[in-house]
Amino acid sequence: MPYYYRRHQSPGCGGLLIVLIMLLLLTGGAPLLFNVVGVVLMSIFIFFMVVMVGLWGFSLFIRHKVSQYEAQQSEERNLFVSLLIYILVKIAELDGHITRAETATIQNFFRVNLHYNSEQMFWIKELIKDATGSSATLDDLLAEFRGRFGYQPRLILVELVFQVLYSNDHVSSQELELTERIAAYLEISNFEYVAIRGRYQAHYQARSRQQAADKDRYYEILGLQPGASQEEIKEAYRKLSKEYHPDLVGHLGEEFRQVAEEKMKEINIAYQHLKKG
């Protein structure tokens, strides 16, 4: 291939747009151009209006389903679930915000453990939304919960508190002290509290060990030693991306291209994890 050869790039949409405008001016003049622009703008406006109406209609549908579901349940059951969620959201918000992982943990308890269907999950999601940013205090919510419900419901609450806290990558000593105070306030026996805490701490430690092992493996995939700098990680990723690019072996057959694609997938996963630090 001659050294002066340069591949020509396909023209972008900008050139086509200029050609279209020139054709409109030549065939119909400025009025036609303004008409076309007006139609385009009107189409965009109508599209956004349809989207907005659709979202508004869906929101009404959700609120109707939630109201309908609540009306079918006992007042005690509605109050129990509502207080559960409000307390869990308040605990999640103690660090200033509620994370996606914490929200997902609350939702998963109802979806997975209690087998809630889509209609019931509409209700749960609305309660989480209502609880987020609510002016109710954690102390008031706990007082109402203790005054209305017995020992077994209180155990469920403590269990869920641990689930929410351990959905994060780190649980502070202050958060553990809070769970102890909540358990004591709800008059949970020390034996029950220690058993619940121990179960979640063991699971958390096992998860931490697995994450550490995974991180070491990610370093190995990029050919690095554990603790490599971000610059070293980026450089290794750039080098391996070039070496294992599927296009380099495409001419050898589809099976070799697939091998390269799998290797690139592995390299990308390792890089995505390690670049987070």
Side-chain angles (χ1 to χ4, degrees):
M1 183 181 295
Y3 71 89
Y4 54 79
Y5 176 83
R6 183 169 59 88
R7 185 181 295 275
H8 295 85
Q9 300 296 322
S10 177
C13 295
L16 293 176
L17 183 60
I18 292 172
V19 172
L20 180 60
I21 291 172
M22 289 179 65
L23 286 174
L24 288 171
L25 287 171
L26 289 172
T27 55
L32 179 58
L33 177 61
F34 290 133
N35 287 339
V36 171
V37 172
V39 169
V40 171
L41 292 175
M42 182 57 69
S43 299
I44 294 173
F45 174 75
I46 291 172
F47 171 77
F48 279 109
M49 287 299 294
V50 168
V51 171
M52 293 297 293
V53 170
L55 291 173
W56 175 73
F58 183 70
S59 175
L60 284 181
F61 169 76
I62 296 299
R63 289 203 295 270
H64 171 72
K65 297 294 284 186
V66 167
S67 175
Q68 195 175 46
Y69 178 77
E70 283 182 330
Q72 295 169 353
Q73 312 307 311
S74 68
E75 185 176 342
E76 184 179 22
R77 183 176 185 277
N78 288 339
L79 180 62
F80 174 67
V81 176
S82 299
L83 278 174
L84 261 185
I85 289 177
Y86 269 70
I87 291 170
L88 294 173
V89 168
K90 281 296 167 188
I91 290 171
E93 287 180 332
L94 288 176
D95 60 356
H97 68 286
I98 181 168
T99 67
R100 284 187 180 180
E102 290 166 336
T103 301
T105 298
I106 298 171
Q107 291 181 10
N108 284 340
F109 172 76
F110 292 94
R111 182 186 295 109
V112 178
N113 297 56
L114 302 183
H115 308 290
Y116 272 30
N117 59 32
S118 57
E119 185 179 77
Q120 292 169 310
M121 288 309 300
F122 285 148
W123 180 43
I124 297 303
K125 290 173 184 177
E126 284 294 302
L127 287 174
I128 292 173
K129 188 164 64 175
D130 293 342
T132 304
S134 165
S135 59
T137 67
L138 180 59
D139 288 344
D140 289 342
L141 294 168
L142 287 170
E144 186 169 2
F145 195 93
R146 188 179 71 170
R148 287 180 175 270
F149 300 107
Y151 194 76
Q152 287 303 321
R154 296 179 196 177
L155 275 179
I156 292 174
L157 174 58
V158 173
E159 182 90 20
L160 275 171
V161 168
F162 273 102
Q163 279 193 27
V164 169
L165 289 180
Y166 278 98
S167 65
N168 295 312
D169 292 332
H170 175 71
V171 179
S172 67
S173 57
Q174 291 87 351
E175 288 172 323
L176 287 176
E177 288 173 8
L178 174 64
T179 64
E180 193 170 355
R181 290 200 302 272
I182 290 173
Y185 182 76
L186 296 175
E187 300 175 341
I188 302 298
S189 73
N190 188 60
F191 173 80
E192 294 276 13
Y193 171 76
V194 170
I196 294 172
R197 185 188 63 190
R199 188 165 67 253
Y200 280 94
Q201 284 180 329
H203 176 73
Y204 177 75
Q205 289 164 359
R207 188 179 68 183
S208 297
R209 287 194 295 270
Q210 183 60 50
Q211 287 174 343
D214 287 343
K215 195 167 187 178
D216 287 343
R217 188 171 62 84
Y218 294 143
Y219 280 116
E220 287 178 9
I221 290 171
L222 296 183
L224 299 169
Q225 292 295 320
S229 68
Q230 285 295 312
E231 189 55 42
E232 289 172 323
I233 291 169
K234 289 178 183 176
E235 182 59 33
Y237 173 71
R238 283 195 291 264
K239 180 181 176 183
L240 292 172
S241 296
K242 292 176 182 177
E243 291 178 356
Y244 288 96
H245 198 286
D247 288 349
L248 296 177
V249 294
H251 63 288
L252 299 177
E254 186 59 30
E255 66 272 28
F256 294 103
R257 182 181 179 86
Q258 288 178 0
V259 170
E261 286 176 349
E262 287 301 316
K263 182 63 178 179
M264 273 305 304
K265 192 182 296 182
E266 192 178 48
I267 291 168
N268 281 324
I269 290 172
Y271 176 65
Q272 291 302 320
H273 279 83
L274 293 180
K275 76 174 185 178
K276 297 174 183 175

